[in-house]
Amino acid sequence: MQKDKGFRRRVITLIVVVLITAAVVAVYLAYGVHSRSNLPLIVPKNARWFYHFQSKSVDEAARKSTDSRPLYYDSLYYTLIKLPVLHNVKDAGQPGIYLMTDIVLFADENGWYAALTVTSEEKLNAFCRDIVPSDLIDKPVVKPEFTYVKSKTRNLYFAYKHKACVFYIPSDTAINIPGAEAALKSVFTQKDSSIYSNQSLQKLYDKDCQVVFWGEGIGHGVALSGEYAQYYYTDSVRNSKPLSPLYLFHKVGINYSETDVERILNKKNQIKSREYLNQTFKAMYNYLKLFVK
Amino acid sequence: MSISATIKKLLNERILIIDGAMGTMIQKHKLTEEDYRGDRFRNYAHSLKGNNDLLVLTQPQIILDIHRAFLESGADILETNTFSANSISMADYHMENLVWELNVEATKLARQAADEFTAKNPDKPRFVAGSIGPTNRTASLSPDVNNPGFRAVNFDDLRLAYREQVQALIEAGCDLLLVETVFDTLNCKAALFAINELKEEMNSDIPVMVSGTITDNSGRTLSGQTPEAFWNSVSHGDIISVGFNCALGAEQMRPYVEELSRVAWINVSCYPNAGLPNEFGEYDDTPEGMAAVLESWCKEGWVNIVGGCCGTTPDHIRAIADSAAKYKPRKVPVLSLS
């Protein structure tokens, strides 16, 4: 029972991180900015789990198959731009973040993180200082390794330095500023090796997977360039006996009826790349919509 | 006092008035395809004319003005413009992704109007009922005459669709939920199942109303139930009222309201059409004529909530409200254990 609760909490927190990240991606959705970064280098080798959504190549893959975007794209976009934190954003460059680069989520022993690429530290300073409504965040705190702001309403921190920014939610729900600063310092301090040095994970990138997930020694990647989403696993057992394509979506809160499953999957249990994206956007939307009333 | 308790208290004190026909009022605006699309859906790939629920996004001022007109005429309960805002019905327009947004925005509009009028006269609080329609599919009947076993929708599909709609209605701030125009009791049961699941999950005590539809003079719902059978089928559902709406005019609905009033041990509601549609599809019952019939029900002590469905305008609601104000609500029978 305890294990179930822990898992649920972990999944919920993952989703919170996803939605925070997605909030920032909003401006991409509005303005169509494109770029790419080496952002996963920020993830320490001892991360408990890691999720990498290569937004640009996902978007390119989606455009290959059809001109029209997945159904939930529209809903996600209109929800994201209504989020309070983005109300004063007038153009894509304003926050100083590359908003359609990779989205990287990870967790370590301290908490959960969502990372995006910074384009201009100066603009990001201005965004945190002047643009985000003052009832949402505290004033920026400058540390030698990073600058951060704390949410006024949640136990949530946003830190940045040079080319990376990170949203951080401590696993301990009690507010502990020195602890949070120490955790962020460990992320922003140069590392001897990152998660990229994990050889089994590299194999997924070699398969051109646009979405990569790794956790507890097992990982999987999803390649979306073809008509159907192609799943690859880091272990051979799972490769021969793959999970249902809807398993992880169900785990993050999407309920599927029998009719839905029949509509979404073909008889070979495959999901179209476009539908995979649709379900991804739906998962993000399902959590973000609760923040817009 | 909580909203739920306030509503229950008021139901003991007077006959509450539910608003009139949203569709009829929208039709008066003679909206074009472009009007339905608005700016946001200008380039949408499918036809959107007739998707009345979409108007909360594309023509919110029209919906707000309709709400205000019904409140002005004396309605206590406003229905949100969400009759078809569920993923099953919205699939006809390829808009199932909008369900949450439609329900939230519709509730916001109704909430705004209701709160305005409550602020003007706190002695007459106005309430927002989340309208939950039957969907365009039936779970207990086959639409295929050559295959009686076929079902276009099943209980689980309906449950999931209703969950999405109901969660949005509750989150957005509805005071009540109204499962209405029930032609198939199995659809209604899926809605009640979803509602009860969510009430528990969300720790909500939101009151629920159920309103069935007697489809013709056979005196039965489409799924074949008489008023008493219908009541027996939904009475377990933790609901504050049961009643009938749509399909029939007030005069035709009289015996069924009487029967329901006799058997139901909760509040009884009724909001009929403004008569039966004429050859042009229009409704001819005048406000005075319809109010006179409903007044006779009030006088008999059959009803706790009255109002109007298709074809009823603010004038109808005003006449009904004036008539109902003269009478005490139906006394809800107390069940004896003996």
Side-chain angles (χ1 to χ4, degrees):
Chain A
M1 202 62 187
Q2 198 58 40
K3 193 179 173 185
D4 284 347
K5 277 186 183 173
F7 179 74
R8 187 183 302 173
R9 185 178 165 197
R10 205 169 60 188
V11 169
I12 289 170
T13 309
L14 165 64
I15 291 308
V16 171
V17 179
V18 170
L19 69 87
I20 292 162
T21 311
V24 187
V25 176
V27 185
Y28 155 71
L29 295 171
Y31 303 103
V33 179
H34 294 274
S35 185
R36 181 171 178 160
S37 73
N38 290 320
L39 198 59
L41 291 171
I42 200 171
V43 183
K45 192 177 181 181
N46 64 348
R48 286 178 176 168
W49 57 259
F50 158 79
Y51 175 86
H52 184 191
F53 188 82
Q54 300 190 70
S55 317
K56 186 188 172 196
S57 50
V58 164
D59 191 56
E60 284 170 356
R63 284 166 194 264
K64 249 188 228 173
S65 59
T66 172
D67 286 339
S68 64
R69 288 185 155 127
L71 201 55
Y72 274 90
Y73 182 96
D74 172 76
S75 296
L76 183 59
Y77 163 58
Y78 278 96
T79 302
L80 291 170
I81 60 173
K82 287 180 191 168
L83 288 173
V85 74
L86 293 171
H87 266 188
N88 298 324
V89 173
K90 305 294 180 214
D91 69 74
Q94 200 169 14
I97 301 172
Y98 257 148
L99 299 164
M100 188 48 181
T101 60
D102 304 359
I103 299 171
V104 171
L105 312 175
F106 63 98
D108 66 10
E109 59 186 8
N110 298 311
W112 296 266
Y113 307 80
L116 292 165
T117 304
V118 171
T119 57
S120 163
E121 212 173 332
E122 197 179 321
K123 284 183 179 177
L124 198 48
N125 277 327
F127 180 70
C128 293
R129 193 182 57 233
D130 307 324
I131 298 170
V132 180
S134 59
D135 57 338
L136 294 178
I137 60 168
D138 288 325
K139 285 185 177 168
V141 176
V142 180
K143 294 281 175 185
E145 298 83 6
F146 58 94
T147 301
Y148 80 92
V149 291
K150 185 187 172 305
S151 164
K152 279 188 174 173
T153 54
R154 295 167 197 277
N155 193 17
L156 164 70
Y157 301 80
F158 174 63
Y160 53 95
K161 184 72 174 179
H162 300 316
K163 292 291 177 189
C165 62
V166 164
F167 294 87
Y168 167 58
I169 300 175
S171 48
D172 187 347
T173 52
I175 292 174
N176 174 1
I177 304 266
E181 288 178 352
L184 288 167
K185 186 179 174 182
S186 73
V187 169
F188 280 96
T189 304
Q190 196 147 16
K191 303 169 190 64
D192 294 334
S193 62
S194 80
I195 198 95
Y196 262 180
S197 59
N198 181 321
Q199 287 303 311
S200 58
L201 204 55
Q202 269 303 328
K203 285 180 186 167
L204 299 176
Y205 287 100
D206 294 343
K207 298 279 188 188
D208 288 332
C209 292
Q210 283 92 354
V211 179
V212 171
F213 176 81
W214 180 88
E216 294 169 357
I218 302 173
H220 82 264
V222 188
L224 299 167
S225 303
E227 185 183 4
Y228 289 96
Q230 185 69 49
Y231 283 67
Y232 298 98
Y233 294 86
T234 51
D235 70 309
S236 54
V237 175
R238 186 60 73 192
N239 261 329
S240 61
K241 200 177 174 185
L243 296 169
S244 162
L246 298 181
Y247 176 79
L248 284 178
F249 292 119
H250 177 66
K251 280 289 177 194
V252 294
I254 303 183
N255 291 314
Y256 296 101
S257 69
E258 201 177 314
T259 313
D260 289 333
V261 174
E262 283 177 13
R263 179 178 56 80
I264 294 170
L265 301 181
N266 68 10
K267 287 181 178 170
K268 293 179 181 170
N269 217 22
Q270 292 171 310
I271 184 170
K272 287 195 169 179
S273 296
R274 178 185 162 78
E275 189 56 41
Y276 178 92
L277 281 180
N278 195 36
Q279 297 301 318
T280 303
F281 290 143
K282 186 177 180 181
M284 290 181 179
Y285 170 71
N286 268 0
Y287 286 90
L288 276 170
K289 69 189 183 186
L290 300 172
F291 288 75
V292 179
K293 285 190 181 171
Chain B
M1 189 183 293
S2 71
I3 298 277
S4 174
T6 304
I7 292 168
K8 286 171 185 168
K9 179 172 173 284
L10 284 174
L11 280 167
N12 284 326
E13 294 172 357
R14 60 187 175 86
I15 296 171
L16 295 185
I17 307 299
I18 199 162
D19 65 4
M22 177 60 78
T24 301
M25 297 297 285
I26 290 171
Q27 277 175 13
K28 287 177 191 281
H29 287 270
K30 300 191 187 309
L31 298 177
T32 63
E33 174 73 32
E34 285 66 36
D35 295 327
Y36 274 90
R37 286 171 178 267
D39 285 336
R40 177 167 166 184
F41 302 101
R42 189 168 301 285
N43 299 316
Y44 203 72
H46 306 278
S47 173
L48 297 178
K49 191 173 179 184
N51 187 352
N52 286 348
D53 299 53
L54 184 63
L55 296 174
V56 300
L57 299 181
T58 57
Q59 304 292 340
Q61 193 58 46
I62 288 176
I63 304 302
L64 187 58
D65 288 344
I66 293 170
H67 285 323
R68 285 175 175 148
F70 280 122
L71 291 169
E72 193 69 53
S73 65
D76 296 293
I77 300 170
L78 275 186
E79 285 190 49
T80 55
N81 184 35
T82 54
F83 185 77
S84 298
N86 60 74
S87 58
I88 292 170
S89 302
M90 277 295 138
D92 281 1
Y93 298 97
H94 305 270
M95 286 187 150
E96 52 268 50
N97 61 311
L98 292 181
V99 168
W100 181 274
E101 197 177 352
L102 292 174
N103 283 282
V104 168
E105 294 305 317
T107 305
K108 278 160 79 174
L109 290 173
R111 184 82 271 158
Q112 182 185 339
D115 290 349
E116 282 172 14
F117 277 74
T118 301
K120 278 184 205 166
N121 181 7
D123 291 337
K124 184 178 167 62
R126 314 299 178 106
F127 304 100
V128 174
S131 168
I132 301 165
T135 80
N136 52 7
R137 296 182 195 176
T138 170
S140 59
L141 296 169
S142 170
D144 183 353
V145 291
N146 297 314
N147 184 2
F150 174 74
R151 295 292 180 270
V153 71
N154 63 35
F155 187 91
D156 202 34
D157 292 333
L158 287 163
R159 181 183 72 89
L160 289 177
Y162 282 128
R163 268 188 71 97
E164 185 181 18
Q165 180 178 23
V166 170
Q167 190 183 1
L169 291 169
I170 296 176
E171 285 275 0
C174 281
D175 301 315
L176 298 142
L177 295 173
L178 172 52
V179 182
E180 61 177 339
T181 322
V182 176
F183 54 75
D184 183 338
T185 310
L186 191 53
N187 289 39
C188 174
K189 279 175 172 284
L192 293 176
F193 191 90
I195 288 168
N196 288 333
E197 273 185 331
L198 283 165
K199 281 175 73 173
E200 193 173 328
E201 287 169 25
M202 299 170 80
N203 196 23
S204 167
D205 68 344
I206 190 167
V208 181
M209 304 166 65
V210 168
S211 183
T213 293
I214 300 291
T215 47
D216 52 38
N217 285 334
S218 68
R220 292 170 185 269
T221 63
L222 192 68
S223 53
Q225 291 189 303
T226 61
E228 185 171 0
F230 175 66
W231 159 242
N232 286 330
S233 295
V234 299
S235 59
H236 69 288
D238 191 19
I239 55 181
I240 61 157
S241 73
V242 64
F244 291 120
N245 71 291
C246 208
L248 302 177
E251 198 56 68
Q252 296 82 25
M253 210 178 270
R254 174 188 290 273
Y256 315 122
V257 177
E258 183 180 8
E259 185 182 351
L260 198 59
S261 170
R262 182 176 55 79
V263 296
W265 60 79
I266 59 173
N267 299 291
V268 167
S269 68
C270 189
Y271 47 109
N273 290 349
L276 294 171
N278 62 25
E279 55 270 36
F280 302 107
E282 293 164 346
Y283 297 89
D284 296 331
D285 273 10
T286 62
E288 296 73 25
M290 191 173 168
V293 178
L294 267 65
E295 182 171 350
S296 69
W297 303 350
C298 298
K299 196 174 178 180
E300 295 281 356
W302 291 346
V303 287
N304 304 88
I305 302 166
V306 290
C309 199
C310 303
T312 58
T313 63
D315 288 339
H316 288 85
I317 298 305
R318 185 175 292 107
I320 291 167
D322 289 346
S323 300
K326 300 175 205 165
Y327 302 94
K328 287 279 181 196
R330 166 179 171 268
K331 207 168 162 66
V332 177
V334 179
L335 280 184
S336 164
L337 291 177
S338 59

